[in-house]
């Protein structure tokens, strides 16, 4: 895969959100509709193609913890709001160097999950699943399986988190599509096995929207290329 090979050869530590989602999508994982904008005109065109409301995010491989750095604006409802948000994000990013802006569809789902992979030195790629968003840090409600995993393993993982009822039909929301979730976890394990240069995958949040899981934010971390002067 060119994205991964080029990043690894260039000794990058991670892919941008946009690049990470392209890798995920190539394995059938549903991601948000989005376009990368290099200027305000491209931003307006992208928002028009997606349709309001949209989300704007600063996008760069070195840009982590985007919300804390003030480069994320959500639920933008018209062009005037988009232009204002774009200017604010560009100002915030200027301090840390240049970068593009990701224009993304806004999903109003209320259930946030996390899915990903870490490469254990002893066991290899291990698939992760649990509660997402801010609950990941607060509750640490996570489970792991060593890859490869089967669909049955993935379904077990969903039952093992303490907050598994979040996947049921609750408060007028339909039940999460557990089969689609299982497919995502299986795919994450395959990515880890297919690409040893990947150190970690973090999809957070993985939002349940109309019952279906969609990767709203994602990061793929890379191992340092052998011979790197780190």
């Amino acid at each position: 895969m060119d994205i991964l090979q080029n990043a690894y050869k260039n000794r990058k530590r991670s892919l941008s959100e946009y690049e990470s989602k392209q890798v995920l999508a190539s394995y059938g994982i549903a991601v948000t509709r989005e376009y990368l904008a290099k200027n305000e005109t491209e931003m307006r065109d992208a928002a028009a193609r997606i349709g309001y409301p949209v989300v704007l995010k600063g996008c760069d491989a070195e840009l982590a913890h985007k919300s804390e750095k003030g480069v994320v604006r959500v639920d933008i409802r018209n062009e005037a709001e988009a232009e204002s948000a774009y200017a604010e994000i560009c100002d915030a990013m200027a301090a840390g160097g240049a970068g593009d802006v990701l224009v993304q569809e806004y999903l109003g789902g209320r259930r946030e999950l996390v899915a990903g992979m870490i490469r254990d030195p002893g066991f290899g790629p291990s698939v992760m699943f649990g509660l997402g968003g801010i609950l990941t840090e607060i509750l640490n409600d996570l489970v792991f399986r060593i890859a490869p995993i089967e669909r049955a393993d993935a379904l077990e993982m969903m039952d093992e988190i303490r907050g598994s009822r979040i996947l049921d039909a609750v408060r007028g929301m339909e039940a999460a599509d557990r089969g689609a979730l299982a497919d995502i976890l299986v795919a994450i394990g395959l990515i880890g096995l297919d690409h040893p240069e990947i150190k970690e995958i973090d999809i957070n949040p993985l939002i349940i929207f109309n019952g279906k899981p969609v990767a709203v934010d994602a990061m793929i971390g890379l191992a340092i290329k052998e011979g790197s002067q780190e």
Side-chain angles (χ1 to χ4, degrees), residues 17 21 24 29-32 34 104 107 184 203 205-207 213-218:
E17 176 182 342
K21 286 177 172 173
L24 298 176
I29 296 175
V31 303
T32 45
E34 58 195 33
Q104 183 180 100
L107 300 182
I184 288 175
I203 305 174
L206 179 68
I207 283 184
V214 181
V216 170
D217 202 344

Side-chain angles (χ1 to χ4, degrees), residues 21-197:
K21 286 177 172 173
Q22 287 186 307
V23 174
L24 298 176
S26 72
Y27 278 78
I29 296 175
V31 303
T32 45
R33 288 189 300 128
E34 58 195 33
Y35 299 94
L36 205 57
K38 297 186 179 300
N39 53 54
E40 187 173 311
T41 299
E42 290 186 1
M43 180 278 296
R44 284 197 297 266
D45 290 345
R49 286 198 296 273
I50 293 170
Y52 291 96
V54 297
V55 175
L56 298 187
K57 298 177 178 176
C59 187
D60 187 87
E62 303 299 323
L63 187 60
H65 307 296
K66 294 186 283 287
S67 295
E68 290 86 341
K69 293 179 179 174
V71 296
V72 178
R73 299 291 185 276
V74 302
D75 197 14
I76 297 168
R77 294 184 171 271
N78 53 55
E79 188 170 284
E81 289 184 11
E83 291 172 350
S84 176
Y86 181 81
E88 292 170 356
I89 291 172
C90 288
D91 285 346
M93 292 182 69
D100 298 324
V101 171
L102 192 60
V103 186
Q104 183 180 100
E105 66 176 328
Y106 173 70
L107 300 182
R110 289 180 285 167
R111 287 175 289 181
E112 296 186 347
L113 304 169
V114 61
M117 184 277 294
I118 60 170
R119 188 172 300 279
D120 183 272
F123 298 106
S126 299
V127 180
M128 171 188 69
F129 175 74
L131 298 183
I134 62 171
L135 295 180
T136 304
E137 295 181 13
I138 295 173
L139 299 178
N140 194 32
D141 191 3
L142 304 170
V143 293
F144 295 84
R145 286 287 191 288
I146 298 170
I149 65 170
E150 304 290 339
R151 261 177 141 239
D153 302 314
L155 292 168
E156 282 183 2
M157 293 172 71
M158 295 172 210
D159 289 331
E160 289 176 2
I161 62 171
R162 298 191 301 276
S164 62
R165 287 191 60 195
I166 199 172
L167 303 177
D168 297 339
V170 293
R171 292 180 176 261
M173 297 181 289
E174 60 186 293
D177 186 335
R178 290 182 179 238
L181 271 173
D183 290 340
I184 288 175
L185 298 180
V186 171
I188 289 171
L190 288 176
I191 297 172
L193 291 169
D194 289 347
H195 300 284
E197 69 272 31

